[in-house]
Structures are given as C-alpha cells and as structure tokens.
Amino acid sequence: MTSPAAAIDSEPSTEPAADDPLLAGLNAQQRQAVLHQGGPLLIVAGAGSGKTRVLAHRIAWLLEHRSVQPGQIVAITFTNKAAGEMRERVTGLVGPRTRAMWVSTFHSMCVRILRSHAKELGFTSSFTIYDAGDSQRLMTLVARELDLDPKRYPARSLTAKISNLKNELVDEESYHPESAPEKVLAQAYRGYQQRLRQANAMDFDDLIMTTVNMLQAFPEIAEHYQRRFTHVLVDEYQDTNHAQYVLVRELSKGAELCVVGDADQSIYAFRGATIRNIVEFERDYPQASTVLLEQNYRSTQTILQAANSVIARNSGRRAKNLWSDQGAGEQIQAYVADNAHDEAAWVAGEIDRLSDAEEARPKDVAVFYRTNNQSRVFEEIFIRVGLPYRVVGGVRFYERREVRDALAYLRTIANPADLVSLRRILNTPRRGIGQRAEACVEALASRERIAFHEALDRCAEAPGINPRSVAAITDFTTLMAELRSLATDGAGPSSLLEAVLDRTGYLAELSASTDPQDEGRVDNLNEMVSVASDFEQQRPDGTLTDFLEQVSLVADADELPDGGEDVGQILLMTVHTAKGLEFPVVFLTGLEDGIFPHLRTLSEPVELQEERRLAYVAITRAQRRLYLSRAMSRTAWGQPSYNPSSRFLEEIPDELVHWVRSEPVRAYSGGPSAQERLASAALSRGGLRGGVGNRAIVDLAVGDRVSHDAFGLGVVVDTKGVADKAEATIDFGTSGTKRLLLRYAPVEKL
C-alpha cells in the first residue's frame, strides 16, 4: 500500500519554543505525538495515559503552528460524548474557530457525506436511519413475504448475519451463497435492501458501507473529500471493523493520518471489531511512526501492576508497561464468598464502611460484572440496606415504547416512505385500523406496485376492506397531512412533537390511564419535548431531519452520567459498558472461570485473550481502590453451580492483594459471613429485617408455603437430601418452578 506521506507537502521542521502553552504539562512521549509531522502516526495509548489530551493538543498544534485550516481536519471518535469532549478541549486551547472542523463519530460523519450526495445514490436527503429495532421489524416483514419459518429463521438472527456481511463490505449483489441456509439469507438480504430503498432508509451498517461504496464508485466525490481533508485523526482505532478500516483508508489518501488506540483494550470482536487493524498498522503503512504512551495519570501503581500482570499473559502483543507517579496506593482487597448473595452483601458492606468513614461517596463507586443477569442479586441487597444505585445498560431512554412511538410520528412526517415508522403508528393510539385492514392496504400496494403510504391514500380501492376501516384510515392520512403542513410551515421539532402528542390523543390516553406505569410514560414524553427544545436552542437553524439524525446516532455510552454529574448513586454495569470510564472505587465481581472468563471462551484461545483484555480494561478503570471478589457457588437455572477461581485472579501477584476472606468454609473463616455482618449492621440501624445468605437450613416438607426474596410466594412440591445437601423443589406460580439448595436459598417458611 502506498503511504499517504508521499502526497503531503513537506513542511519545514522548526524547534518549538520550550514555553509554548500547547506543550505545557505534556510528557516526552505525548509531546512527540503532538509534534509529529510528515507521515502516518500510530499512538499506542495505554489506559489512562491521556490520549484525549494528546489528540486535542495535536489538533490545536496543527491549527496554531502548521497553518492548517479547521475545515481541513476530520477527527473520528466512537461516541458523541467523546466527540463533544474533543471539540470542547480544542476550543479551550485555540478558541471558537474550531466550528469548521469535522469532529464526529463514524456514523455521524457518514450521514453528513451521504446527505450531501443522496441524489447520486437514489435517496432523498431526508432519508431515515433505522436502528436495530427498526431493522428487525423490517426483516420480519421480509421474512413473512418469503414465507420463512420464524423459529428457524428469526428476524434477529437474519439481521445480525446481514450486519456482519455489511461490516465486511459484502453487499447483497456480491454475496454468493453456497449452502441452503446461506441461500435463504441471500434472499432475505435482497428483500431487506429492496425494502430499505423503498422506505428511503438506511440502517446503521449501510451508513458506512454505502459511504465506502460511493467513494470507490465515484472518483470525483472521493477526490473532493481527499482534497479537503489534509489531516485525518481516528480515536479508539482498535475498535474499528473492516468497513471502518477501509473508510479511513479511502478518506486519508493524500492526508496525514493519525490513529490512536491500544490493542490491549480491544474488546468488541462481537461487534465486528478487528484487532488486526491496529496490530498490523505498521504493515499497512510501512512509513508509519509509532509513539508509545505508558505513563498512566489515573490509577495507583498497585492497580497498574495488577493490570500489567494480567495482560502480560496474552501472546503476540506489543510490550507495554503502564506506570504511575501517584505512589503504590491501597492494597487490592479480595474476598471469597460462599455464594452470590454473600458476595453482594460483602460489596454492600464495604461501600457502607467507606461511606461511614467518609473515604468514598456512592457516586465514587462502580460495581462491574461480566453479564447483565449478574446485577439482580446486587439490586436485591442494595435495596434491603438502602444503598442508592443505578443499573447502567437497562432499557435506554430512546428505546422506551412511548418515546419510539413519538419519534415514529416525527420520522413519518419527515419521510412518508418510512414503512416501519408508518406501520408502527398506523393504529397507535388505537383508531380502529386493525391487522385485516392493514393487510388489505398491503395487498393494494402490491397489486398496484406502489408504496404503502401511497396505498393508504387510495384505501377505498383496497380489496376486501370495510367502510369503517376506510373512514379510520382517511382520518389518519388527513391528520398526517396536517402535521406535515406544520413542518412545511416551519414548525420546530418541539412544536411538532407537542402537536403530535395533542392531536393524536396519545398524551390524553396516557394521562387518563390508571396504570401507574403510564404516569412514567407521560414523564418520558415530557422529557422528549425537552430534548427537542434543547436541540432548537443549540441549533436554531436545525431541521426536523437534523433532530431525528441526532437522536438516531446516540450511542449507549452517550447516555451514561458525566463524571462531574452528582448523581449520588452507585453504578452497576457490565465491564463492556465501563470501557472509557473511570471511578475512584471499583468492585470487580464474579471472578470465576466460567463466569469471567466466560464459559464459552475457555476452550477458544483467541476468545480467551479477548476476555483477558476485558479484565485489563476492568482493572484499569479503578483510580484509588480496587476490590475483587468471587463466589464458591452460584445458582443457574435453579441449580447450584460451583466454579473454580478465575485464572485472572491467579495471575495477579500475591503481594498486591489482601485477602479479606480466602477460605469459603465457615469453620475456618474466623467469623460470621459478610451477609451476617451486613444483616447485623443493618438491623442495628433499623434497616434490614432478617438475615440473608448463609443461614440456618429451613426444614421443609411437601405442601409447606414459603417466601423467597426474588421469586415471591411458593409451595413446596418435592424435597430431597439432608443437612448441607438439602434441596427443595418449589412452585412459585408465575415465576415458575425452582429447585433450590436450602443452604444458600433466601427462603422463609410461612
């Protein structure tokens, strides 16, 4: 591959002034990265090594000292939050002229390019962006048309496979199936893409694949952007997939390319990220320079030594040793619990102790686990003892039903051809347009070869439709025409949203409901109006399409609380979600082989290496204190499971760790379990009623009525075993029938 350096104008190298404010406070390696010029640059940025600062100062240096114009710079990040932080930092260094820079996510950048050239691609500039939920709904329609068995070919599976193909830049025309299932996938792929085009829509993967295809198919368009962008900077390069890799390559021809990342933090293979992009950067760009950032500004040396020891076990990695000048800090605290409840109780007790000693506030603490289902037991314990918490990664705001309904109205106003949004709102709220009427309209659209929204306008011609449905559909199309005229007359997103909620009767229906959840839905819709109002204040010239684009491109990480926001809550989250964050106190839980590392990775060396990188990411989120824990037993599918200690725990040097409790057997533990200590402490405060976890074994017989902390009321239907091996099978009604080991189960006899 030809190096982009050949196309860059050579610039005289001058020794920068020692007191230049843009270099103040940078260490030698950071300074080297900021000053580099002439060819491709790889910045290998270890966790907490100040990569965002380096990128911001590098951009500021380009503007201040190398006569680069803001419009010649494109900086690509993975979240809107990261893009916003980057822009703010550069603005703070060189002033407001940074507005002309392109600082955005991959998807936002591609949308901007595609809207400018939509006509060449057969779209309008107001095309809709489909998220995963929209894609699955559309695929459901396609699969139904192809008469596919939904159990054998679920829409979610088909869309996931198509997503993987798009990430590899394999479109529906270039996909050549061999097996019978692949041929079915090819049919679904073609039908799906055809439906997308008819709806004037693209899904998330299309945004990047279509941009790449356009740049390769239209040399004049590619040349325009290659001439415009003389400097291309990419953050988190280790997380790029093949399509993003090719996009960067196409844009940076003739530009000075700078990528920042850390192969040791590549943890998104399941999303298509390709670690080879960063590992083989110097092979792809033979004239590249590499700068290694190893000084960590986040964590204590003890925490970094633990992280270094774990990641060093991975083979084929670039040698890197994080270090800090913040001192050794506190020893890592570790705990072996009897079971998951005991583990959660110990975590709660430690948080309570830190809070009482004024060594940490709830907002300083994060609890990490490998999979989402592990959060339940922490929630149970935290509720009992009154600890404030928030689970990160639940139902996101923009995925809530009422929010999606409101947005579907706006999307249909902006793009009448948007089939998924139109069919979502056709009978929402209920207006007497049933599935039979919808099928009649669909039959008309198919017969006349017209779009579904056009068939709605001619609904009276639909075969078999009844007059009442015709009247209801006519009322709906009249309503949508009125709302669309408001948009044409210049109504902003907030005014349109208020009109939608009022004229459709959606808000009135929720407000009149006696369902307590509907009150929360009303609050969410009010918040949605506030979001639209905020958009109008930030972008007075922004259109409805701009607003919908902004909402569509919000990533998971963009909805996390800012570090400076006083949420006053302990955050519970998976390790994947924690990427890019930092906390004064971190509890890394579930450290057992089969839990973390995950069971499916234990026999796969490549996947096990990614699990180790995930552990490295988790450890390096901690700033001052790190706690590690595992449980001797856990309940899975109602059965106790016993997993050995995680290999990652064993890889941390002994001198770094203080084992609060290393023996699981009560006789050797030297005292009560964490749950009993926590129960006692809570009782003394008048908070907790009754013990949890390692308790006296309840004597149960068939027919006894019991209460379980999680499953509620139940009836014993079978028992077996005695003493520590006593088990009971209990019918909990709607929660199902569970077989429980009574030594650990939080069960009380009624």
Side-chain angles (χ1 to χ4, degrees):
M1 180 183 295
T2 303
S3 170
I8 301 172
D9 295 331
S10 61
E11 303 174 37
S13 179
T14 58
E15 184 64 26
D19 60 349
D20 192 299
L22 292 181
L23 301 179
L26 300 179
N27 64 39
Q29 290 72 33
Q30 291 174 330
R31 180 186 171 108
Q32 182 184 353
V34 168
L35 296 177
H36 171 84
Q37 66 182 63
L41 173 65
L42 168 62
I43 303 174
V44 179
S49 61
K51 68 178 178 64
T52 304
R53 186 182 190 203
V54 170
L55 272 176
H57 280 252
R58 177 169 174 79
I59 293 171
W61 186 266
L62 293 174
L63 296 172
E64 287 286 283
H65 294 284
R66 290 181 56 187
S67 302
V68 177
Q69 297 302 309
Q72 295 176 300
I73 296 174
V74 57
I76 309 170
T77 67
F78 271 81
T79 67
N80 293 310
K81 184 174 289 187
E85 182 183 355
M86 179 89 63
R87 186 181 294 279
E88 285 177 15
R89 289 203 187 197
V90 178
T91 301
L93 293 170
V94 299
R97 59 193 171 115
T98 56
R99 288 196 205 98
M101 288 192 321
W102 282 33
V103 183
S104 64
T105 64
F106 273 100
H107 292 103
S108 296
M109 179 187 68
C110 289
V111 169
R112 189 169 177 178
I113 292 173
L114 291 171
R115 293 214 190 278
S116 298
H117 305 280
K119 288 184 180 179
E120 289 98 317
L121 301 171
F123 290 84
T124 72
S125 60
S126 61
F127 63 80
T128 298
I129 301 168
Y130 278 6
D131 63 15
D134 299 320
S135 296
Q136 287 180 33
R137 289 185 186 90
L138 186 62
M139 180 56 76
T140 300
L141 294 176
V142 172
R144 193 182 302 152
E145 288 177 352
L146 295 174
D147 200 24
L148 299 181
D149 181 354
K151 292 183 179 179
R152 187 176 179 186
Y153 299 103
R156 183 173 182 175
S157 174
L158 291 172
T159 52
K161 290 174 182 177
I162 289 172
S163 176
N164 291 337
L165 290 171
K166 291 182 178 182
N167 286 337
E168 293 297 320
L169 297 178
V170 179
D171 61 25
E172 74 274 25
E173 300 299 330
S174 57
Y175 179 50
H176 301 297
E178 296 181 1
S179 65
E182 287 177 342
K183 290 177 180 177
V184 172
L185 177 62
Q187 279 185 300
Y189 194 178
R190 286 193 296 270
Y192 174 75
Q193 290 301 109
Q194 182 181 359
R195 281 283 201 172
L196 276 175
R197 285 190 291 269
Q198 289 173 349
N200 189 35
M202 297 187 197
D203 65 22
F204 266 73
D205 301 307
D206 279 327
L207 297 177
I208 294 176
M209 183 178 74
T210 305
T211 303
V212 170
N213 290 344
M214 182 183 70
L215 293 175
Q216 293 178 337
F218 296 90
E220 66 282 3
I221 296 178
E223 186 180 349
H224 166 75
Y225 290 102
Q226 290 161 3
R227 210 170 42 239
R228 171 172 183 162
F229 298 129
T230 60
H231 292 271
V232 176
L233 302 96
V234 186
D235 192 11
E236 303 285 9
Y237 192 66
Q238 79 280 349
D239 293 335
T240 53
N241 59 32
H242 176 67
Q244 291 163 335
Y245 163 80
V246 176
L247 176 62
V248 170
R249 186 187 67 193
E250 292 297 322
L251 282 177
S252 63
K253 289 178 180 177
E256 189 171 284
L257 175 63
C258 170
V259 303
V260 185
D262 180 9
D264 288 339
Q265 297 185 70
S266 178
I267 60 173
Y268 292 120
F270 68 96
R271 292 183 183 172
T274 308
I275 194 173
R276 62 106 16 228
N277 292 351
I278 191 166
V279 171
E280 300 185 10
F281 183 83
E282 290 144 315
R283 183 185 301 177
D284 294 337
Y285 300 92
Q287 296 182 10
S289 300
T290 300
V291 176
L292 188 60
L293 304 182
E294 295 178 290
Q295 182 175 359
N296 176 284
Y297 294 91
R298 174 189 299 155
S299 308
T300 64
Q301 189 60 39
T302 295
I303 292 169
L304 296 180
Q305 281 182 252
N308 289 333
S309 299
V310 171
I311 199 63
R313 302 298 183 100
N314 272 0
S315 60
R317 59 182 286 272
R318 182 190 297 271
K320 183 168 77 280
N321 193 55
L322 292 181
W323 64 275
S324 170
D325 60 7
Q326 299 184 41
E330 299 283 340
Q331 224 178 352
I332 297 168
Q333 305 293 300
Y335 184 84
V336 179
D338 289 339
N339 52 51
H341 277 82
D342 189 28
E343 179 184 40
W346 176 71
V347 170
E350 282 300 302
I351 296 172
D352 206 30
R353 184 186 64 78
L354 290 172
S355 182
D356 288 345
E358 297 185 351
E359 296 177 14
R361 299 160 295 177
K363 62 169 286 189
D364 297 328
V365 181
V367 179
F368 298 163
Y369 34 78
R370 177 60 180 82
T371 55
N372 277 308
N373 64 300
Q374 291 171 255
S375 73
R376 180 185 62 82
V377 67
F378 290 102
E379 293 186 73
E380 289 179 15
I381 297 294
F382 285 10
I383 288 171
R384 287 187 186 181
V385 300
L387 286 175
Y389 73 91
R390 173 184 168 191
V391 179
V392 179
V395 180
R396 296 171 54 210
F397 177 74
Y398 291 109
E399 291 176 351
R400 298 184 186 279
R401 187 189 73 193
E402 62 277 8
V403 173
R404 292 186 73 97
D405 288 344
L407 289 173
Y409 271 100
L410 295 183
R411 287 164 63 172
T412 307
I413 291 169
N415 175 20
D418 182 350
L419 179 65
V420 169
S421 296
L422 176 57
R423 294 184 75 150
R424 182 185 184 97
I425 64 173
L426 187 58
N427 198 41
T428 305
R430 288 189 180 89
R431 49 175 61 93
I433 305 174
Q435 292 183 356
R436 184 177 181 281
E438 194 172 337
C440 291
V441 174
E442 191 171 12
L444 174 65
S446 177
R447 187 188 73 189
E448 300 295 322
R449 296 186 178 181
I450 57 177
F452 187 81
H453 73 280
E454 294 173 320
L456 284 177
D457 291 330
R458 296 168 51 183
C459 61
E461 304 173 32
I465 196 167
N466 65 53
R468 192 172 0 175
S469 297
V470 170
I473 292 173
T474 302
D475 288 344
F476 171 75
T477 56
T478 301
L479 170 64
M480 293 306 297
E482 292 172 355
L483 292 171
R484 202 164 287 121
S485 68
L486 286 178
T488 304
D489 292 340
S494 63
S495 299
L496 277 173
L497 188 51
E498 288 178 328
V500 164
L501 297 176
D502 177 40
R503 299 191 187 187
T504 61
Y506 195 106
L507 195 58
E509 183 178 282
L510 288 178
S511 300
S513 171
T514 57
D515 185 342
Q517 291 189 4
D518 284 341
E519 184 177 345
R521 294 188 175 104
V522 170
D523 291 339
N524 288 333
L525 291 172
N526 286 332
E527 178 64 20
M528 193 65 234
V529 174
S530 298
V531 170
S533 297
D534 290 343
F535 169 82
E536 291 170 354
Q537 291 176 11
Q538 294 165 8
R539 296 181 59 180
D541 298 329
T543 64
L544 175 59
T545 299
D546 295 330
F547 172 69
L548 292 171
E549 176 186 315
Q550 177 175 295
V551 169
S552 297
L553 298 177
V554 172
D556 291 354
D558 294 321
E559 295 199 59
L560 293 174
D562 294 325
E565 182 182 343
D566 188 3
V567 293
Q569 296 173 311
I570 303 154
L571 295 183
L572 309 180
M573 67 185 76
T574 66
V575 181
H576 280 101
T577 303
K579 174 75 164 34
L581 304 176
E582 58 185 40
F583 302 92
V585 181
V586 165
F587 288 84
L588 178 54
T589 66
L591 283 166
E592 303 128 42
D593 272 7
I595 303 295
F596 192 11
H598 197 280
L599 180 64
R600 68 170 178 265
T601 69
L602 296 180
S603 60
E604 298 292 336
V606 173
E607 292 189 22
L608 187 57
Q609 291 211 29
E610 176 145 333
E611 289 287 294
R612 187 171 281 108
R613 293 194 293 270
L614 192 58
Y616 172 80
V617 165
I619 293 170
T620 55
R621 301 308 96 192
Q623 295 172 297
R624 300 198 311 265
R625 297 175 184 268
L626 176 63
Y627 293 83
L628 308 174
S629 64
R630 70 179 180 93
M632 289 298 296
S633 74
R634 291 183 187 276
T635 301
W637 303 103
Q639 302 295 317
S641 62
Y642 303 89
N643 299 309
S645 174
S646 169
R647 62 198 67 196
F648 305 149
L649 258 182
E650 310 299 326
E651 291 165 3
I652 298 175
D654 292 339
E655 63 271 17
L656 302 180
V657 182
H658 168 64
W659 287 93
V660 178
R661 182 171 185 252
S662 58
E663 291 289 343
V665 182
R666 290 284 302 281
Y668 298 96
S669 65
S673 73
Q675 293 185 58
E676 291 168 330
R677 294 197 306 273
L678 184 61
S680 176
L683 278 170
S684 69
R685 298 195 303 268
L688 180 62
R689 303 300 178 196
V692 291
N694 225 355
R695 64 193 72 209
I697 298 171
V698 182
D699 184 19
L700 295 179
V702 174
D704 284 346
R705 296 181 70 247
V706 299
S707 173
H708 187 282
D709 293 348
F711 305 132
L713 299 178
V715 177
V716 179
V717 295
D718 188 25
T719 62
K720 72 174 187 177
V722 294
D724 286 356
K725 296 183 179 179
E727 295 180 10
T729 302
I730 304 172
D731 182 358
F732 289 104
T734 56
S735 294
T737 300
K738 313 289 183 183
R739 193 168 74 180
L740 305 174
L741 191 64
L742 296 180
R743 179 186 175 194
Y744 300 113
V747 170
E748 291 184 9
K749 185 175 178 180
L750 300 178

